[in-house]
Amino acid sequence: MTGFQSPTPRLILASASSARRAVLEAAGLRFEAAAAAVDEASIKEAAQAEAIPAADTALMLADAKAERIARRHTEALVIGCDQLLVSEAGWFDKPVDLAAARAQLQALRGRTHQLVTAIVCHRHGQRIWQHVAVPRLTMRDVSDSFLDVYLAAEAAAVTQSVGAYRIEGPGVQLFSKVEGEHAAILGVPLLALLGFLRQHGVLLS
């Protein structure tokens, strides 16, 4: 054991998300990051067609990412994550541009939505752990003028988030109430992950 973390197994985050990397780095974890090429749109479309619940769909997406990277690194412990935004209006994806971000925020304002955040771990060709966190966020009934200023300030950054907001940045001004772990809102149920890693001797207990 060196510091908090054992040198083995290697930890690999199956994600290109800078927010997820920042969460793990801030927690003091040593890991590698590798983007997983997964057809997320097809998985979501099939899940919706089959009326699969959002939590199960998020787990399917996280599992697909972890499994893809784990094929090449069977000895490593591979972490896969995914997140779905669920509201009364349905599921939302990352907006493709600022116009789509505006429409999404207009649909969410004045309402509460959920960020269904799934995490799985793979090792030796098997999924060995999974967890789902469901933070709830209530957006203020923000004005169109506020949205103009917000979108101008954040620009393309809003297209990198499933909610069209960075709650770790100016996006926090959109909300009147936030329930749930901050790290889970950013895409990683961190406390549950740390507990799993301690139980398996990866982190010092």
Side-chain angles (χ1 to χ4, degrees):
M1 186 71 69
T2 304
F4 294 116
Q5 186 173 336
S6 171
T8 58
R10 295 162 53 214
L11 295 185
I12 301 178
L13 175 66
S15 175
S17 165
S18 58
R20 289 191 176 105
R21 291 200 304 270
V23 167
L24 298 190
E25 287 168 356
L29 296 182
R30 298 189 309 275
F31 64 98
E32 304 163 40
V38 172
D39 188 350
E40 296 185 44
S42 293
I43 294 173
K44 290 177 185 176
E45 288 172 10
Q48 288 182 306
E50 298 173 23
I52 296 174
D56 293 337
T57 303
L59 281 170
M60 289 166 56
L61 289 160
D63 191 67
K65 294 175 182 179
E67 192 273 337
R68 178 61 61 90
I69 300 302
R71 289 182 200 170
R72 304 195 302 270
H73 305 280
T74 57
E75 84 293 347
L77 196 157
V78 180
I79 303 165
C81 303
D82 205 88
Q83 187 175 62
L84 295 175
L85 190 157
V86 180
S87 78
E88 297 171 0
W91 298 359
F92 285 83
D93 291 315
K94 292 178 182 177
V96 296
D97 54 28
L98 289 181
R102 173 184 288 278
Q104 180 167 314
L105 291 169
Q106 288 174 329
L108 294 174
R109 65 182 172 185
R111 299 181 176 183
T112 298
H113 64 265
Q114 298 178 329
L115 289 176
V116 180
T117 309
I119 184 168
V120 303
C121 288
H122 274 240
R123 195 178 186 203
H124 298 316
Q126 296 183 12
R127 180 171 61 185
I128 59 174
W129 179 73
Q130 67 183 46
H131 178 79
V132 177
V134 188
R136 291 169 52 87
L137 295 87
T138 301
M139 191 174 289
R140 298 187 300 110
D141 190 9
V142 297
S143 66
D144 287 337
S145 296
F146 180 91
L147 290 181
D148 289 339
V149 173
Y150 168 72
L151 291 170
E154 286 289 84
V158 297
T159 64
Q160 302 304 308
S161 166
V162 70
Y165 55 78
R166 294 185 306 124
I167 201 164
E168 70 275 27
V172 72
Q173 294 194 42
L174 292 163
F175 297 95
S176 60
K177 187 175 183 180
V178 174
E179 303 169 81
E181 182 190 5
H182 183 70
I185 294 170
L186 300 182
V188 183
L190 181 63
L191 294 178
L193 174 63
L194 295 177
F196 162 76
L197 294 176
R198 283 191 294 268
Q199 288 174 359
H200 283 70
V202 180
L203 293 180
L204 190 65
S205 62

